[in-house]
């Protein structure tokens, strides 16, 4: 960081402040975790400067000898980690990965069946605000009103009536396991491709903590920065017969030059994901989510679906008379970050939804365990119930800071390396 300090002290100071924010904030954002310092070093490495198009051995620029090795390493590690036949590690994001999966085997106007955003799906699964909805004809399935879980019979009925060319499984906020076998069977019955977006779940899947969609699907995509704890960017896995189509849908179809530094960071993340340390963090992520949900329920907060099978806990705040947005704001004021989220059957508008989505990936990376989940549940409830009461909130803020200081982020991995950035 010494060069950044010399060239741009404003940016340098911001990086220091961000590092401090991370250390002193309880991060319950379900879509993030803390990348290993080795991942960050790869992201900021000399590979940032290499311009290259195409794939290893088939590049459009010279000088790719090491870039080729980096990408091959990332691909091979990724395939081994997930037991996939083919991996494309070039997507700049999960959204780009999804777009490329659609365009790999579909034509503009083709039909896709996916989960509705209001039930937990993602924008890139055909939401009207996403370009995906302008390219393809989407129909959506939701969740059962009572169980708040996917109703596979309903998916089957819709698939038969709609006749999609592709069925998408996967979500941004769905705390239960998806039965990939059942979804694949439905896709087969209607001769549709089966695509799983496991953006949120990749780390849990890599560690074998929850079932993998890979054996059931034609395509799988994920982002690397959520439970996988890697850098930014996405990945596509697919069966061998789709490999060429996926590769050309990414380049030149949807993207230009590859981000070799991103790919290097992915390679590091895939290596780390094969360690016992990583598997421990993923087991802890799952246990923490289950325990956090139980602790909140004990305090009479309703948890959507009554619990969780992954890293997400979705709180329904409608009984507390507070919106998800207000809860998000007051929690951030005491150093707890989480995000407002729509819940099944939500009456609120997008900004005023009734849900709060929590995730335990980042606190597991800090090695927080069950006692800390009880404390976190207590801190959340005290904050929501005492909103508007400055003195009470100051006491919570101080408790949050104490808890965070007891579980430093970057010294978790490297005893001698206390900060992700340093002078
Ligand atoms: C299910 C799902 N797919 C795709 C994405 C998009 O990933 P990215 O932010 O890398 O574009 C997300 C992001 O939250 C997601 O939850």
């Amino acid at each position: 960081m010494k060069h950044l300090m010399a060239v741009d002290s404003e940016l340098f100071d911001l990086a220091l402040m961000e590092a401090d924010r991370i250390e002193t904030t309880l991060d319950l954002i379900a879509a993030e975790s803390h990348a290993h310092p080795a991942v960050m070093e790869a992201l900021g490495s000399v590979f940032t400067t290499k311009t290259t198009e195409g794939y290893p051995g088939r590049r459009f620029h010279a000088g790719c000898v090491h870039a080729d090795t980096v990408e091959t390493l990332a691909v091979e590690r990724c395939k081994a980690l997930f037991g996939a036949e083919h991996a494309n590690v070039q997507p700049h994001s999960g959204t780009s990965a999804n777009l490329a999966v659609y365009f790999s085997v579909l034509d503009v106007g083709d039909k896709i069946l996916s989960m509705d955003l209001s039930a937990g799906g993602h924008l890139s699964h055909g939401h009207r605000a996403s370009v995906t909805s302008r390219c393809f004809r989407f129909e959506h399935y939701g969740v059962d009103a009572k169980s708040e879980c996917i109703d596979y019979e309903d998916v089957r009925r819709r698939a038969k009536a709609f006749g999609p060319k592709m069925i998408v499984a996967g979500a941004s906020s769905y705390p239960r396991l998806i039965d990939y076998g059942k979804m694949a069977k439905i896709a087969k019955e209607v001769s549709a491709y089966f695509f799983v977006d496991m953006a949120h779940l990749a780390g849990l899947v890599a560690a074998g903590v929850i079932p993998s969609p890979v054996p059931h699907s034609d395509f799988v995509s994920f982002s690397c920065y959520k439970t996988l704890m890697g850098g930014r960017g996405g990945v596509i896995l697919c069966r061998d017969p789709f490999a060429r189509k996926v590769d050309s849908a990414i380049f030149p179809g949807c993207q230009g030059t590859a981000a070799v530094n991103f790919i290097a960071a992915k390679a590091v993340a895939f290596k780390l994901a094969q360690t016992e340390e990583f598997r421990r963090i993923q087991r802890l992520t799952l246990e923490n989510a289950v325990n956090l949900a139980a602790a909140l329920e004990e305090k009479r907060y309703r948890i959507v679906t009554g619990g969780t099978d992954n890293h997400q806990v979705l709180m329904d705040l409608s009984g507390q008379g507070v919106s998800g947005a207000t809860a998000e704001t007051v929690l951030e004021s005491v150093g707890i970050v989480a995000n407002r989220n729509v819940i099944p059957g939500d009456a609120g508008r997008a900004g005023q939804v009734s849900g709060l989505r929590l995730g335990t990936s980042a606190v597991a990376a800090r090695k927080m365990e069950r006692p800390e989940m009880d404390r976190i549940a207590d801190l959340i409830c005290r904050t929501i119930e005492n909103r508007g009461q400055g003195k009470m909130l100051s006491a919570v803020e101080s408790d949050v800071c104490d808890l965070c200081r007891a579980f430093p982020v970057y010294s978790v991995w490297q005893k001698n390396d206390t900060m992700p950035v340093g002078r």
Side-chain angles (χ1 to χ4, degrees):
M1 294 281 284
K2 60 180 186 288
H3 298 289
L4 184 59
M5 182 168 62
V7 168
D8 190 338
S9 61
E10 206 178 345
L11 223 295
F12 175 76
D13 287 345
L14 281 168
L16 285 190
M17 285 191 282
E18 176 63 0
D20 189 57
R21 187 193 67 80
I22 289 169
E23 294 294 332
T24 55
T25 299
L26 213 41
D27 185 350
L28 297 172
I29 303 275
E32 60 192 37
S33 190
H34 299 301
H36 193 289
V39 168
M40 293 194 281
E41 282 176 9
L43 278 173
S45 70
V46 70
F47 288 114
T48 308
T49 62
K50 186 71 198 106
T51 294
T52 177
E53 289 171 335
Y55 291 95
R58 294 175 284 133
R59 301 290 195 185
F60 290 83
H61 301 83
C64 289
V65 54
H66 301 305
D68 278 7
T69 310
V70 167
E71 185 163 346
T72 304
L73 203 55
V75 166
E76 291 309 319
R77 286 180 181 172
C78 184
K79 281 163 58 180
L81 185 64
F82 292 103
E85 291 177 14
H86 180 72
N88 186 305
V89 295
Q90 290 196 8
H92 298 325
S93 70
T95 299
S96 315
N98 291 353
L99 204 57
V101 168
Y102 302 144
F103 276 111
S104 68
V105 288
L106 303 181
D107 291 316
V108 169
D110 278 349
K111 297 186 212 170
I112 305 177
L113 181 65
S114 64
M115 193 182 222
D116 198 70
L117 188 81
S118 65
H122 187 254
L123 291 162
S124 63
H125 299 175
H127 188 267
R128 64 181 179 283
S130 157
V131 69
T132 54
S133 71
R134 291 205 241 152
C135 304
F136 304 101
R137 279 178 61 198
F138 279 86
E139 167 132 350
H140 295 109
Y141 55 89
V143 290
D144 176 67
K146 201 154 173 246
S147 68
E148 300 175 310
C149 295
I150 294 171
D151 173 349
Y152 296 95
E153 269 319 302
D154 178 63
V155 177
R156 174 173 282 112
R157 265 193 306 276
R158 285 175 192 272
K160 288 197 166 154
F162 183 53
K165 270 203 168 172
M166 180 178 280
I167 295 183
V168 185
S172 286
S173 64
Y174 185 70
R176 293 302 183 177
L177 294 180
I178 294 174
D179 190 330
Y180 302 122
K182 268 189 191 161
M183 293 292 284
K185 190 160 175 280
I186 296 168
K188 202 163 179 202
E189 283 167 22
V190 298
S191 304
Y193 298 108
F194 182 43
F195 166 33
V196 176
D197 176 349
M198 63 166 185
H200 268 262
L201 307 175
L204 297 166
V205 169
V209 169
I210 60 170
S212 170
V214 173
H216 303 282
S217 7
D218 298 311
F219 309 91
V220 173
S221 72
F222 61 91
S223 335
C224 302
Y225 57 88
K226 298 183 168 96
T227 50
L228 192 63
M229 304 168 70
R232 316 308 301 182
V235 169
I236 301 172
L237 309 175
C238 68
R239 296 194 195 285
D240 262 338
F242 303 119
R244 285 182 76 91
K245 287 187 167 171
V246 161
D247 287 354
S248 55
I250 281 290
F251 176 83
C254 296
Q255 293 188 174
T257 54
V260 184
N261 58 324
F262 276 37
I263 294 172
K266 289 172 193 176
V268 176
F270 299 145
K271 181 169 182 168
L272 288 168
Q274 283 166 350
T275 62
E276 184 46 36
E277 176 71 353
F278 178 85
R279 285 191 278 271
R280 210 187 125 210
I281 291 173
Q282 299 301 321
R283 283 195 297 273
L284 206 48
T285 299
L286 184 57
E287 285 165 24
N288 282 347
V290 170
N291 290 330
L292 181 61
L296 288 165
E297 274 193 322
E298 236 172 66
K299 292 179 181 297
R300 309 211 178 289
Y301 280 73
R302 195 181 86 79
I303 302 301
V304 172
T305 78
T308 182
D309 300 322
N310 58 34
H311 63 303
Q312 296 183 356
V313 177
L314 197 52
M315 295 174 76
D316 173 3
L317 298 174
S318 54
Q320 269 67 34
V322 59
S323 71
T326 302
E328 179 187 305
T329 305
V330 67
L331 283 165
E332 183 162 11
S333 77
V334 300
I336 302 174
V337 291
N339 70 282
R340 63 186 176 281
N341 214 98
V342 67
I343 56 170
D346 207 320
R349 288 175 294 113
Q352 290 298 320
V353 293
S354 312
L356 189 70
R357 187 183 65 166
L358 311 174
T360 50
S361 193
V363 290
R366 293 176 100 137
K367 306 287 167 59
M368 291 187 183
E369 296 184 9
R370 185 175 194 150
E372 288 72 46
M373 294 310 110
D374 290 341
R375 276 178 76 182
I376 291 173
D378 185 56
L379 292 166
I380 290 172
C381 299
R382 276 165 61 201
T383 305
I384 291 175
E385 285 155 26
N386 292 302
R387 58 190 182 279
Q389 302 194 44
K391 232 179 172 175
M392 304 281 231
L393 293 182
S394 297
V396 178
E397 188 178 2
S398 149
D399 289 350
V400 168
C401 202
D402 288 348
L403 179 57
C404 291
R405 292 279 187 216
F407 291 86
V409 178
Y410 284 98
S411 53
V412 164
W413 292 293
Q414 288 188 331
K415 275 208 175 74
N416 301 323
D417 189 8
T418 52
M419 295 279 273
V421 291
R423 283 166 202 268

